[in-house]
């Protein structure tokens, strides 16, 4: 393997950032000063290669400290991990939050995605850019969804240093965004997570299951969590054993809440039964679908529930190590989860002997860095392992060969926290909530043209109209986007659609991860569709031709017809249909397969270009 290192050297600060993560180098082969012993033999190569999964944390370490990743820093990190620099460059340039070109230490990410676009993101960007301008020491970057849709428009300031400092401005004004970028420590504190739950503190809050503790418990207090029923489910899990946990989850009818709706019990049973070891558990908290923010609210408002549910899942599938893959754009969720994991570990709820039951389990957080595709499970595995976040071909499936080539169970945050009520109330009681095919409660992310945006918990089977009544639709409703950018539009006369996986499927749309974006008649629909196309073109990993080329052609066609309608656009609409079918039929993963959905539904159901 020819590593082909360059002559660039890291600065002392870059070297310190990497050494803080990896420890000091042991020999000149890793970048230390050369000794006589180093001339006689090479050492540490195999151990270094086994640490390739630290490439992404290493890139974060440099980017956090300096603000960008220089050639010298990248070369030094590659020497430490024995990674070819060309491969590491491919990883570093894969993620939107990293830069391999010099830029100011402070970056202001201004969201321009769907909810924020409808709330005036373009005017916000223009105002911020005019105020800051060149020479301000701040780089203003237009960003995909920041997961702050209930407080749109939103901005996130990141100021590199030791330590890195962040500030969220949402809802953002030009003045607030400039303050966050100029002085993150002086920016106003974010509102509590409970403000994202309109049902909290209102009549019926006591009926909530998944959100019952948000706004009630102190998210930093393990004792408060336990006083409100925390760790009852884990004790029940130890009482019935791994097979009993899987049986309860299966009998409850729990399916994945990320959009695929695969039965969770079947996934766990398939992982647990694999003879190859070790087994791994991965929690996918990289919710990057525009309009999605439910996992953030759970992690910010009830972080110990995720720690407990990951421990139960690990116990059920025979895993002793769990990875929490957390969005890089969620600084407060990161802080809350790091604290919760540390407290659980200190109190014997994680570690070598969980609750004195002889079961060892621990959780490691891995930060994403701005890549929608890493929400796909195998792309997420590649990202953790230190490769570009590109999806793998299946089979083999993750339950056979997942993370590090070992059996792996992967679930998102909402799916995992559903395990707690299943074990505390029992499978039959849980299955009685919702419908026969879609059991239990569901979290919905409602934003856009509504009076009370936020996370709503309803049993499966409630209608779209009921949900929008709770949220309070403003002005005259033009359309509702279900499932986010990868979902589909429905008309205002279709609000009786039952919010179940089977109900939305019969209606010719999708429930997805639970995104509900309402748009009134002031929102320019053609411009919205163009933003969706831009999103998919930008987020395509480029691995397969149908998606790599198709997303570009889709955006080009929408650019051509955005100012033309009727017969003049007919040829481009025909082209869009042809390209959409090709992406849906031949793309390797769900990104390309769903990139045409929203545009297709807008043309067919809303008459977007008539």
């Amino acid at each position: 393997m020819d590593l082909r290192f360059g002559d660039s050297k890291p600065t002392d600060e870059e070297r310190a950032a990497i050494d803080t993560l990896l420890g000091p180098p042991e020999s000149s082969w890793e970048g230390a000063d050369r000794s006589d012993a180093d001339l006689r033999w090479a050492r540490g190569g195999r151990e270094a290669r086994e640490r390739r999964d630290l490439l992404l944390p290493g890139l974060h370490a440099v980017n956090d400290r300096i603000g960008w990743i220089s050639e010298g820093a990248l070369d030094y990190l590659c020497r430490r991990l024995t990674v070819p620099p060309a491969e590491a460059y491919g990883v570093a340039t894969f993620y939107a939050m990293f830069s391999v070109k010099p830029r100011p230490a402070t970056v202001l990410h201004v969201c321009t995605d769907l909810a924020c676009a409808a709330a005036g993101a373009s005017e916000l960007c223009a105002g911020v850019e005019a105020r800051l301008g060149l020479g301000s020491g701040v780089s203003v970057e237009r960003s995909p969804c920041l997961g702050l849709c209930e407080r749109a428009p939103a901005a996130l300031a990141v100021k590199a240093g030791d330590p890195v400092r962040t500030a969220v401005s949402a809802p953002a004004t030009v003045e607030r965004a400039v303050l966050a970028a100029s002085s993150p420590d002086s920016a106003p504190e974010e509102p509590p997570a409970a403000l994202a739950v309109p049902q909290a503190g209102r009549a019926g809050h006591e009926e909530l299951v998944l959100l019952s503790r948000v706004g009630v418990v102190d998210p930093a207090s393990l004792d408060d969590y336990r006083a409100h029923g925390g760790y009852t489910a884990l004790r029940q899990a130890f009482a019935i054993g791994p097979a009993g946990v899987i049986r309860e989850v299966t009998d409850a009818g729990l399916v994945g809440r990320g959009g695929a709706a695969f039965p969770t019990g079947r996934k766990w049973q398939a992982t647990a039964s694999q003879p190859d070891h070790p087994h791994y558990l991965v929690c996918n908290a990289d919710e990057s679908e525009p309009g999605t923010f439910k996992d953030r609210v759970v992690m910010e408002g009830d972080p110990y529930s995720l720690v407990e549910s990951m421990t139960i899942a690990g116990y059920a599938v025979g895993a002793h190590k769990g990875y929490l893959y957390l969005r890089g754009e969620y600084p407060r969720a990161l802080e809350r989860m790091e604290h919760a994991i540390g407290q659980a570990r200190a109190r014997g709820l994680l570690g070598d002997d969980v609750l004195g039951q002889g079961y060892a389990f621990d959780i490691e957080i891995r930060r994403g860095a701005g890549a929608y595709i890493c929400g796909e499970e195998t792309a997420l595995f590649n990202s953790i392992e230190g490769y570009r976040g590109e999806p793998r071909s299946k089979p083999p499936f993750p339950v056979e060969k997942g993370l590090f080539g070992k059996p792996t169970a992967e679930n998102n945050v909402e799916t995992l926290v559903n395990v707690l009520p299943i074990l505390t109330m029992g499978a039959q009681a849980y299955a009685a909530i919702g419908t026969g095919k879609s059991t239990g409660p569901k979290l919905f992310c409602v934003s856009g043209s509504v009076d009370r945006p936020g996370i709503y918990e309803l049993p499966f089977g409630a209608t779209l109209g009921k949900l929008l009544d709770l949220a309070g639709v403003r002005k005259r409703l033009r359309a509702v986007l279900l499932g986010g950018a990868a979902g589909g539009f429905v008309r205002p006369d279709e609000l009786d659609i039952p919010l179940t996986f089977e109900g939305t499927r019969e209606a010719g749309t999708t429930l997805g991860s639970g995104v509900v974006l309402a748009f009134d008649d002031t929102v320019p629909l053609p411009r919205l569709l163009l933003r969706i196309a831009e999103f998919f073109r930008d987020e395509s990993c480029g691995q397969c031709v149908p998606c790599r080329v198709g997303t570009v052609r889709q955006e080009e066609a929408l650019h051509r017809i955005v100012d033309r309608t009727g017969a003049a656009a007919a040829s481009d609409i025909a082209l869009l249909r042809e390209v959409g079918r090709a992406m849906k039929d031949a793309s390797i993963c769900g990104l390309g397969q769903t990139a045409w959905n929203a545009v297709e539904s807008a043309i067919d159901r809303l008459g977007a270009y008539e």
Side-chain angles (χ1 to χ4, degrees), residues 361-537:
F361 184 75
D362 212 339
I363 298 171
E364 182 175 341
I365 297 177
R366 289 297 175 91
R367 291 163 59 197
Y372 171 75
I373 189 65
C374 288
E376 197 278 337
E377 58 184 358
T378 60
L380 187 156
F381 299 156
N382 277 340
S383 181
I384 292 177
E385 292 175 19
Y387 296 92
R388 288 169 62 88
E390 297 173 341
R392 304 172 184 173
S393 296
K394 293 181 280 191
F397 293 98
V399 296
E400 301 169 305
K401 291 188 179 297
L403 186 64
F404 304 118
K406 299 297 182 179
T408 304
E410 181 268 352
N411 297 106
N412 75 346
V413 173
E414 185 188 354
T415 306
L416 287 168
V417 297
N418 268 275
V419 174
L420 304 183
I422 289 174
L423 293 182
T424 53
M425 69 171 58
Q428 288 187 343
Y430 179 91
I433 302 172
T435 67
K437 294 183 179 179
S438 296
T439 62
K442 178 75 183 79
L443 300 182
F444 297 95
C445 310
V446 185
S447 59
S449 304
V450 295
D451 295 320
R452 294 174 293 278
I455 301 297
Y456 288 84
E457 179 185 322
L458 291 174
F460 272 116
T463 65
L464 177 58
K466 178 181 178 180
L467 177 60
L468 291 176
D469 284 343
L470 289 173
V473 177
R474 295 198 305 261
K475 300 181 181 178
R476 193 163 71 91
L477 189 64
R478 171 73 171 91
V480 179
L481 180 60
L482 291 180
F489 285 95
V490 297
R491 300 185 304 271
D493 60 352
E494 297 179 296
L495 301 187
D496 58 347
I497 293 175
L499 294 174
T500 61
F501 292 111
E502 65 275 13
T504 52
R505 191 162 46 244
E506 290 172 5
T509 184
T510 178
L511 191 62
S513 59
V515 175
V516 178
L517 268 163
F519 298 105
D520 59 37
D521 54 7
T522 66
V523 177
L525 193 57
R527 177 59 215 169
L528 202 67
L529 297 177
L530 183 56
R531 180 65 189 97
I532 292 174
E534 291 170 348
F535 172 82
F536 280 114
R537 182 263 304 151

Side-chain angles (χ1 to χ4, degrees), residues 116-176:
C116 289
S122 296
E123 294 79 6
L124 175 64
C125 283
V128 169
E129 289 167 346
R131 281 282 298 275
L132 293 173
L134 296 175
S136 65
V138 177
S139 173
V140 180
E141 298 186 1
R142 299 182 179 228
S143 169
C145 185
L146 294 173
L148 296 161
C149 314
E150 84 281 12
R151 290 184 271 144
L156 168 67
V158 181
K159 186 172 185 177
D162 185 20
V164 63
R165 285 167 289 172
T166 61
V168 167
S169 178
T173 63
V174 173
E175 290 73 21
R176 291 173 188 164

Side-chain angles (χ1 to χ4, degrees), residues 125-441:
C125 283
V128 169
E129 289 167 346
R131 281 282 298 275
L132 293 173
L134 296 175
S136 65
V138 177
S139 173
V140 180
E141 298 186 1
R142 299 182 179 228
S143 169
C145 185
L146 294 173
L148 296 161
C149 314
E150 84 281 12
R151 290 184 271 144
L156 168 67
V158 181
K159 186 172 185 177
D162 185 20
V164 63
R165 285 167 289 172
T166 61
V168 167
S169 178
T173 63
V174 173
E175 290 73 21
R176 291 173 188 164
V178 169
L179 174 62
S182 305
S183 181
D185 294 334
S186 302
E189 187 177 349
E190 282 193 77
L195 284 188
V197 184
Q199 292 163 301
R202 300 169 71 95
H205 178 255
E206 63 279 357
E207 298 178 4
L208 297 181
V209 177
L210 305 178
L211 300 176
S212 62
R213 281 185 288 261
V214 177
V216 175
V217 303
D218 176 359
S221 174
L222 176 57
D223 290 332
D224 203 7
Y225 175 72
R226 298 184 76 166
H228 287 82
Y231 283 95
T232 302
L234 180 59
R235 293 184 182 279
Q236 175 65 12
F238 283 134
I240 62 178
V245 172
I246 294 175
R247 183 173 58 252
E248 286 290 291
V249 171
T250 302
D251 292 347
L254 177 64
V255 298
R257 301 298 202 248
F262 189 84
T264 304
R266 282 176 54 191
K267 179 184 289 188
W268 287 11
Q269 180 59 52
T271 306
S273 63
Q274 295 297 319
D276 193 15
H277 286 273
H279 295 179
Y280 290 104
L281 172 75
V282 174
C283 174
N284 183 350
D286 191 55
E287 54 172 5
S288 303
E289 186 72 50
T292 310
F293 51 97
K294 55 188 172 62
D295 292 350
R296 171 183 62 81
V297 173
V298 170
M299 290 186 288
E300 290 180 352
D302 194 15
Y304 289 102
S305 67
L306 182 57
V307 177
E308 181 183 6
S309 57
M310 285 185 68
T311 308
I312 293 170
Y315 176 65
V317 304
H320 299 287
K321 181 69 175 287
Y323 286 90
L324 172 60
Y325 191 89
L326 182 61
R327 275 199 81 181
E329 296 92 338
Y330 283 176
R332 186 165 69 171
L334 173 65
E335 177 188 343
R336 295 275 169 86
M337 292 309 306
E338 285 179 337
H339 178 79
I341 290 170
Q343 288 295 301
R345 191 179 291 128
R347 300 277 287 273
L349 299 169
L350 288 174
D352 295 334
D353 188 14
V354 176
L355 276 178
Q357 297 293 318
Y359 169 61
F361 184 75
D362 212 339
I363 298 171
E364 182 175 341
I365 297 177
R366 289 297 175 91
R367 291 163 59 197
Y372 171 75
I373 189 65
C374 288
E376 197 278 337
E377 58 184 358
T378 60
L380 187 156
F381 299 156
N382 277 340
S383 181
I384 292 177
E385 292 175 19
Y387 296 92
R388 288 169 62 88
E390 297 173 341
R392 304 172 184 173
S393 296
K394 293 181 280 191
F397 293 98
V399 296
E400 301 169 305
K401 291 188 179 297
L403 186 64
F404 304 118
K406 299 297 182 179
T408 304
E410 181 268 352
N411 297 106
N412 75 346
V413 173
E414 185 188 354
T415 306
L416 287 168
V417 297
N418 268 275
V419 174
L420 304 183
I422 289 174
L423 293 182
T424 53
M425 69 171 58
Q428 288 187 343
Y430 179 91
I433 302 172
T435 67
K437 294 183 179 179
S438 296
T439 62

Side-chain angles (χ1 to χ4, degrees), residues 556-592:
E556 290 172 345
L558 288 173
H559 267 295
R560 286 194 297 269
I561 66 177
V562 73
D563 296 321
R564 297 181 293 145
T565 56
S571 60
D572 278 318
I573 290 177
L575 175 64
L576 281 171
R577 294 189 186 280
E578 183 178 352
V579 169
R581 283 194 297 270
M583 288 193 292
K584 186 175 293 187
D585 292 342
S587 294
I588 195 173
C589 81
L591 187 150

Side-chain angles (χ1 to χ4, degrees), residues 85-133:
E87 292 187 21
Y89 180 85
V91 173
T93 54
F94 187 82
Y95 298 97
M97 298 187 75
F98 295 150
S99 175
V100 294
K101 297 179 181 179
R103 67 179 178 183
T106 301
V107 178
L108 181 66
H109 302 273
V110 182
C111 179
T112 58
D113 242 317
L114 306 181
C116 289
S122 296
E123 294 79 6
L124 175 64
C125 283
V128 169
E129 289 167 346
R131 281 282 298 275
L132 293 173

